[in-house]
Structure formats: C-alpha cells, structure tokens
Amino acid sequence: MNSARSDPPPDHLPPGEHDERLDGPRVALKILVAGGFGVGKTTLVGAVSEIRPLRTEEALTDVGAAVDDLDGVAAKTTTTVAMDFGRITLRDGVAIYLFGTPGQERFWFMWNELSRGALGAVVLADTRRLMASFASIDYFEQKGTPFVVAVNCFDEADRYEPPEIRTALDIDPHVPVLLCDARRNGSAKEVLVALVEHALRIAGAAASRPPSEPGPRPWPAPARAEG
C-alpha cells in the first residue's frame, strides 16, 4: 500500500487529464486506536493525521487521581474524555478515519459506539504498564475485531522484542505485534498499514472458507463476580 499524501492537488493538469483526488476518497475505512491510560493514543493520531486532529482532552484533577492509575505516567496532565479523531488519505483513493478511544475504565461505555463499522483496531501498549492493555485486547477478541498490538517505545522504558511481548500478553500467533514510536509519522503509518493488511488477510480467509465450515467461535463474555 502506498504511503499517505498530504500534498495539495496540482493547480494545472495536462489537457484531457483529470485528477481523481479532487473527487474525494473512493473508499473510507474506520480504524480505532485503543489502549490503556497514557499509552500514546492521542499522540499517534496527531502524528499521522493530515488534518488538524480533533481532541477532547481535559486537565487531570485531584478528584480524578483517586480513580486514574498514574503509575508510570505521573507527568501526564491531561486525559481524553471522549475521543480523538484524525484522517489520513492514501494515494490509491483510500481514506482512513482514526478514532482514538478514551483509556480510563469509567469511559469504556463509549467503546461500543466508537467501534461500530470499524475495519480494525490498533492496541497501543506500554511496557511499563502492560496490564493496562489487557482490557483492550479482551474487548476486540470478544467482538472478533481484527487488531494489532503496537508497543510504544518510550525513551525511559525497558525494551523487549515482539515475541516477549506476545508471550507476556498471551496474544494469538496470528496477531501482529510491532514496535513503534507514536510520535513519528512514518512509524505510525507502518502500524496502520500492518493493521489494514492483517484485516484484509482475515477477510480473505473468511471469504475462502467453505460455507459448511464454521468460523471461529466468539469469545465468551467475562463472568461477573457474585456478591
């Protein structure tokens, strides 16, 4: 897949030629960027978006500190309370619309609405707080949504290779695990390309499956504790 474009269409074209980019995208894809609190979702959307990203950030307060786990992200001063939104348009007429999900548990009720119609999801992970990624991974596994795990390599964090991350998160072998820097445009694009390719492989495998052959069973909903 070709890289994203941010250059404006040319002012003049040779006679008889038409710039298809002026017609807008031919295909629109929706991708979620999920993960725990403070893993870099807002940063990734902003790094890759060709438009000024929409952000719904509010300052962290002493009241929120009682319910938000700041372990490992003590320097964080703001948090997403609704969603982040950005867009990247590819040269082959494909527009990707990015929706960053809120990370705190009290905002998880929004995930069902944000995930409607999504091609797939990027689950960002932080090796300093890997447990914060489990909720996102479980959610997309249960919904059967294609996803990749992208480890955001923070400067002060310990480095681990993808096989080590896969084992720690107990991720199925077919799910891509990548290392990335959410601040860098090129790195963020590579994550999105990996997700699109992964989702297309899953769709192709489903289309080639004989009608009589059942697909994978959906993951059961987590049991609620009694009492």
Side-chain angles (χ1 to χ4, degrees), residues 30 32 34 101 108-121 123 134-147 172 174 202 215-222:
K30 179 180 182 181
L32 300 184
T101 64
W108 286 356
F109 69 91
M110 300 182 59
W111 287 21
N112 286 335
E113 291 299 324
L114 289 175
S115 65
R116 292 182 186 274
L119 172 76
V123 176
F134 282 121
S136 299
I137 292 172
D138 288 345
Y139 179 82
F140 295 119
E141 284 179 336
Q142 291 178 28
K143 289 185 68 68
T145 302
F147 69 95
D172 289 341
H174 72 278
I202 291 178
R217 297 180 60 185
W219 280 56

Side-chain angles (χ1 to χ4, degrees), residues 38-208:
V39 295
K41 301 181 293 295
T42 299
T43 299
L44 186 143
V45 172
V48 78
S49 179
E50 66 190 13
I51 63 173
R52 182 177 182 180
L54 169 66
R55 293 172 176 169
T56 56
E57 290 195 308
E58 295 292 341
L60 290 171
T61 64
D62 293 337
V63 175
V67 291
D68 293 330
D69 180 12
L70 297 179
D71 184 29
V73 288
K76 187 171 176 59
T77 59
T78 61
T79 181
T80 299
V81 296
M83 67 174 186
D84 299 308
F85 174 78
R87 185 190 71 203
I88 178 173
T89 307
L90 308 180
R91 292 186 183 275
D92 49 5
V94 177
I96 295 178
Y97 295 92
L98 301 171
F99 291 80
T101 64
Q104 300 99 310
E105 184 175 353
R106 65 184 186 275
F107 296 128
W108 286 356
F109 69 91
M110 300 182 59
W111 287 21
N112 286 335
E113 291 299 324
L114 289 175
S115 65
R116 292 182 186 274
L119 172 76
V122 173
V123 176
L124 274 179
D126 179 354
T127 57
R128 301 168 301 177
R129 308 165 73 241
L130 273 182
M131 289 186 63
S133 304
F134 282 121
S136 299
I137 292 172
D138 288 345
Y139 179 82
F140 295 119
E141 284 179 336
Q142 291 178 28
K143 289 185 68 68
T145 302
F147 69 95
V148 301
V149 174
V151 180
N152 191 11
C153 298
F154 288 88
D155 294 336
E156 65 275 18
D158 293 332
R159 299 299 176 94
Y160 299 93
E161 294 302 314
E164 298 175 283
I165 301 296
R166 183 185 304 280
T167 300
L169 293 176
D170 193 22
I171 302 171
D172 289 341
H174 72 278
V175 176
V177 178
L178 309 91
L179 303 180
C180 75
D181 184 341
R183 301 168 298 182
R184 293 179 50 239
N185 177 276
S187 184
K189 288 178 184 177
E190 290 176 1
V191 171
L192 297 179
V193 169
L195 172 60
V196 172
E197 292 176 344
H198 177 54
L200 291 177
R201 284 195 298 269
I202 291 178
S208 62

